[in-house]
Amino acid sequence: MIREKDLMIGDTVLVERAGDVIPYIVKPLAELRTGTETKIEFPEECPVCSSRLFKEEGEAAWRCVNIECPAQVVERMIHYVSKDALDIKGFGEANIKKFYDLGLLKDIPGIYKLDFEAISKLEGFGAKSIEKLKEAIQQSKQQPLHRLIFALGIRFVGETTAKVLAQKVHHLLDLKKFSQEELQTLEDIGPKVAGSIVHFFSSEDNIKMLQELENELGITMTNNSKQMHGGGELDGVTFLLPEHFPHLKEARPKKWQKREEEKY
Ligand SMILES: [Zn+2]
């Protein structure tokens, strides 16, 4: 599109709302060019680690595939502590970046091995905020398994897939035993997602990291919610809801039909 429309950095462009919503560049206003505009060159190397970029067949995105790439390492940690993942309050993006830049944090296990002595000497880290951070890190060790799976940042594994996977295992490392075909029999998991999960758990480095997290750092990797189920009065009872039988719509009371129509 850039080439087709001859867009340059510094151009004034004509923008239209496509479908009345999304801003869409129609064309550059070439008559307003001053001669200082520059050509847009597509990057061939990662802007952070200078590794050669890679594009998968059929995908639009170019990726840096260097697993040690600092930008990726930092983003992985930011994702790990984020609200929907392990939710380590008081950590956040800014602290991850700060600790990383200062050499106080280099990978996910490092989150549990922080040198609080050194951190206490940094500006803005009083005894109280350090205490809070310590506590939040401690609490994150007991998060439900699906949050940990999501936190690992396995490509294509979002919160929903993480929940599906957590339901299927007693221990996180059980996922290592699943073949791509077996994974594909699970709800919402297609070949792309299954392949990515197999790829993650076949990496020795990843397994080593998980073992360190569990054995040395005390992160819970068993599915506790499974053990909590059962034993109640409703144990073993199956509920059928009208939504499960869309083809029997006519057989339902008028009141229900109306309610469902409103809902959808
Ligand atoms: Zn890179």
Side-chain angles (χ1 to χ4, degrees):
M1 246 175 91
I2 289 167
R3 239 177 261 143
E4 248 168 50
K5 296 190 173 173
D6 180 33
L7 297 168
M8 291 175 87
I9 295 172
D11 264 341
T12 302
V13 295
L14 181 65
V15 176
E16 213 172 56
R17 286 199 301 182
D20 261 351
V21 188
I22 302 162
Y24 174 86
I25 294 177
V26 182
K27 60 172 188 180
L29 300 175
E31 63 276 20
L32 296 179
R33 280 183 179 157
T34 62
T36 55
E37 295 77 14
T38 49
K39 252 186 99 169
I40 298 172
E41 298 281 2
F42 205 82
E44 291 180 351
E45 291 176 352
C46 169
V48 175
C49 74
S50 302
S51 292
R52 197 143 185 91
L53 295 175
F54 174 81
K55 185 166 98 79
E56 237 163 276
E57 195 68 35
E59 270 190 35
W62 286 79
R63 297 175 187 280
C64 167
V65 289
N66 170 18
I67 190 103
E68 308 275 331
C69 174
Q72 294 183 52
V73 171
V74 166
E75 287 303 322
R76 266 200 293 275
M77 292 192 285
I78 290 171
H79 174 71
Y80 187 88
V81 304
S82 67
K83 194 167 171 287
D84 296 326
L86 286 199
D87 191 21
I88 306 185
K89 291 192 177 67
F91 219 127
E93 193 172 334
N95 284 338
I96 296 266
K97 283 183 176 159
K98 186 187 266 177
F99 297 163
Y100 184 84
D101 287 342
L102 293 169
L104 293 167
L105 179 63
K106 64 173 175 55
D107 53 17
I108 288 171
I111 291 168
Y112 300 96
K113 300 187 279 191
L114 283 174
D115 180 354
F116 287 104
E117 182 73 28
I119 291 170
S120 69
K121 289 179 187 131
L122 302 175
E123 204 181 316
F125 286 92
K128 213 170 173 185
S129 60
I130 286 189
E131 219 35 63
K132 269 193 178 159
L133 184 57
K134 270 188 190 169
E135 204 176 294
I137 291 170
Q138 201 57 32
Q139 275 175 8
S140 77
K141 295 180 178 180
Q142 309 291 336
Q143 287 281 26
L145 185 59
H146 66 87
R147 278 181 174 263
L148 178 62
I149 294 173
F150 176 61
L152 293 174
I154 305 166
R155 232 176 122 199
F156 307 124
V157 175
E159 283 174 89
T160 310
T161 308
K163 278 180 187 161
V164 170
L165 293 173
Q167 274 304 312
K168 289 290 159 197
V169 294
H170 287 287
H171 189 280
L172 177 61
L173 287 175
D174 292 347
L175 286 172
K176 226 174 85 170
K177 300 175 204 148
F178 281 74
S179 70
Q180 187 157 342
E181 290 70 33
E182 284 167 333
L183 286 166
Q184 281 185 61
T185 63
L186 305 179
E187 205 184 326
D188 287 332
I189 296 183
K192 207 167 71 171
V193 187
S196 172
I197 297 164
V198 169
H199 181 73
F200 183 91
F201 286 97
S202 60
S203 149
E204 226 171 274
D205 288 339
N206 287 340
I207 299 300
K208 255 193 233 158
M209 177 188 79
L210 293 175
Q211 283 166 340
E212 183 185 1
L213 285 174
E214 182 179 37
N215 301 331
E216 289 162 46
L217 304 165
I219 282 77
T220 304
M221 293 192 182
T222 47
N223 195 345
N224 294 328
S225 69
K226 267 198 164 171
Q227 290 152 18
M228 270 153 57
H229 284 309
E233 264 181 63
L234 299 175
D235 197 25
V237 179
T238 306
F239 290 91
L240 297 175
L241 302 172
E243 284 84 349
H244 295 155
F245 303 96
H247 53 291
L248 294 179
K249 204 173 163 197
E250 275 63 49
R252 288 176 220 154
K254 276 260 150 18
K255 211 164 64 183
W256 283 15
Q257 287 183 29
K258 190 161 178 294
R259 197 192 65 194
E260 277 167 47
E261 272 155 22
E262 279 164 6
K263 207 162 134 195
Y264 298 112

